[in-house]
Amino acid sequence: MGKIVCFGELLLRLGAPGRQMLLQSPLLDVHVGGAEANVAVSLARFGHDARMAGLVADNALGEAAVGELRRHRVDTRAVQQALGRMGLYFLTPGAIQRPSEVLYDRADSAFARAGGGTHDWPALLAGVDWLHVSGVTPALGQQAADGVLLAVKAARAAGVKVSFDGNFRPKLWEAWGGDAPTILRGLMSEADLLFASHRDLQVVLGLDFPQATPQERFAAGAAAAFTAFPHLQQMAATVRVQRSVDHHALSGITALRDGSVHTTPAYEVSPIVDRIGTGDAFAAGVLHGGLVGMESADALHFGVAAACLKHSLPGDFNLVGAADVQAFLGENSLDVKR
């Protein structure tokens, strides 16, 4: 099994219950989440040594968020505390033809203000296989952008592989007027594995991809990424066809620097319990596949299966184990397991 460090902001998600509009009733469901934390929890449940690095508010909310990660076997010793507030986001779940909507309340959080904390990266990365980060962190402000760039450069210097999930969040970038293309390009240039679509590369590289199908657009985007980013060895993404808010068809695609491209079958996912965190479940599944020695095509298929199962679970975290994903791939049985 592998050793992975995930660096990013722990969040509290406050969601309207059921399919209600936000504050339609005076109730909110609370979940702990965050892109990088979601990956850490999933990898820990797959049996890996997953460590979370970052910073939370030095109050009861921060303590609860860290405690929730520990409950799922994530090493939280590199999560620091500081005065300030926790980052929040509010979720209005979608239904039928009404899409879900996210309202961010993360400005001036303890994490954003401190750039994720001050970490001894050479010590933290010693013996580590992967550092996983995402484009959400630099979208929080200049301090956070500087902090994640420092982390990926330290990983590159230590010979640790870097996994970067594009996760472009225009609302967060617009809030502080950040130069997303320049900052994201600097981060992607340090990545070995990039979770991104052609849309991310349109933002970063300023290129258009007019090809006819999603698969062709992805392949063209990957070719441009391999040209632009010399360390990049692999790019992967899900392909999602939305039949309604509650019914999607999900498949995966990956490209390697040698020019090979792999795809998976499409799985019908319906009715969807919770879409949030499914991209992170996919990323964790692909990383797991690589760490245990799967071929790229098999790792991609494992990632898609993990993402499919996450759609069945409320909250940000994917709480299934590797055996659950293998069972989905092996038999796809709906029988009660007795």
Side-chain angles (χ1 to χ4, degrees):
M1 290 299 180
K3 186 172 183 179
I4 307 96
V5 172
C6 299
F7 175 59
E9 183 174 30
L10 268 172
L11 298 170
L12 295 179
R13 162 178 146 185
L14 307 176
R19 298 302 181 90
Q20 296 181 30
M21 302 293 285
L22 195 63
L23 297 183
Q24 183 177 336
S25 64
L27 299 171
L28 292 170
D29 292 330
V30 182
H31 295 279
V32 176
E36 302 82 5
N38 297 343
V39 172
V41 167
S42 190
L43 286 169
R45 287 195 158 262
F46 291 154
H48 299 283
D49 180 354
R51 176 177 291 188
M52 188 71 195
L55 182 142
V56 298
D58 188 7
N59 57 32
L61 299 180
E63 290 282 357
V66 174
E68 184 67 8
L69 286 193
R70 284 198 297 264
R71 189 166 76 88
H72 298 294
R73 302 192 293 273
V74 175
D75 183 339
T76 61
R77 288 175 293 175
V79 179
Q80 301 170 0
Q81 293 181 307
L83 294 176
R85 60 184 297 267
M86 284 292 291
L88 310 175
Y89 78 96
F90 296 84
L91 175 67
T92 303
I96 310 175
Q97 303 302 327
R98 174 173 59 82
S100 300
E101 185 172 358
V102 168
L103 174 65
Y104 291 113
D105 182 19
R106 303 174 67 169
D108 200 37
S109 68
F111 181 98
R113 196 164 58 188
T118 302
H119 301 278
D120 182 351
W121 285 113
L124 187 56
L125 294 169
V128 168
D129 298 296
W130 284 93
L131 170 70
H132 179 75
V133 295
S134 87
V136 176
T137 300
L140 299 176
Q142 191 61 57
Q143 292 91 337
D146 292 342
V148 72
L149 183 60
L150 181 67
V152 297
K153 286 187 175 295
R156 176 61 54 199
V160 174
K161 294 179 180 178
V162 176
S163 163
F164 182 77
D165 193 333
N167 273 339
F168 181 59
R169 299 290 187 265
K171 290 181 181 179
L172 294 177
W173 287 102
E174 290 165 6
W176 65 285
D179 183 357
T182 299
I183 292 172
L184 291 175
R185 182 168 184 141
L187 292 166
M188 289 183 179
S189 68
E190 303 294 342
D192 298 271
L193 171 57
L194 181 60
F195 294 101
S197 70
H198 70 280
R199 292 183 293 274
D200 296 293
L201 295 168
Q202 284 176 328
V203 172
V204 174
L205 301 180
L207 300 174
D208 290 325
F209 300 101
Q211 289 76 14
T213 69
Q215 292 79 6
E216 290 171 339
R217 290 191 289 273
F218 175 88
F226 290 129
T227 299
F229 309 129
H231 297 300
L232 186 64
Q233 300 301 314
Q234 182 180 3
M235 183 167 136
T238 55
V239 179
R240 187 183 294 270
V241 177
Q242 302 183 69
R243 311 198 191 286
S244 75
V245 168
D246 300 305
H247 182 186
H248 296 178
L250 192 70
S251 61
I253 186 168
T254 191
L256 306 180
R257 179 168 282 278
D258 64 10
S260 58
V261 176
H262 304 287
T263 60
T264 73
Y267 294 94
E268 297 293 329
V269 182
S270 175
I272 294 171
V273 174
D274 194 333
R275 176 179 168 176
I276 303 298
T278 57
D280 303 318
F282 169 73
V286 173
L287 284 167
H288 166 79
L291 285 163
V292 300
M294 293 183 191
E295 296 293 334
S296 298
D298 294 329
L300 176 71
H301 208 166
F302 188 95
V304 170
C308 287
L309 290 174
K310 169 60 191 75
H311 286 79
S312 71
L313 295 167
D316 287 39
F317 296 157
N318 193 17
L319 303 180
V320 303
D324 300 309
V325 181
Q326 293 290 5
F328 175 91
L329 289 170
E331 57 189 67
N332 201 17
S333 172
L334 301 180
D335 293 337
V336 176
K337 294 180 173 59
R338 301 183 188 275

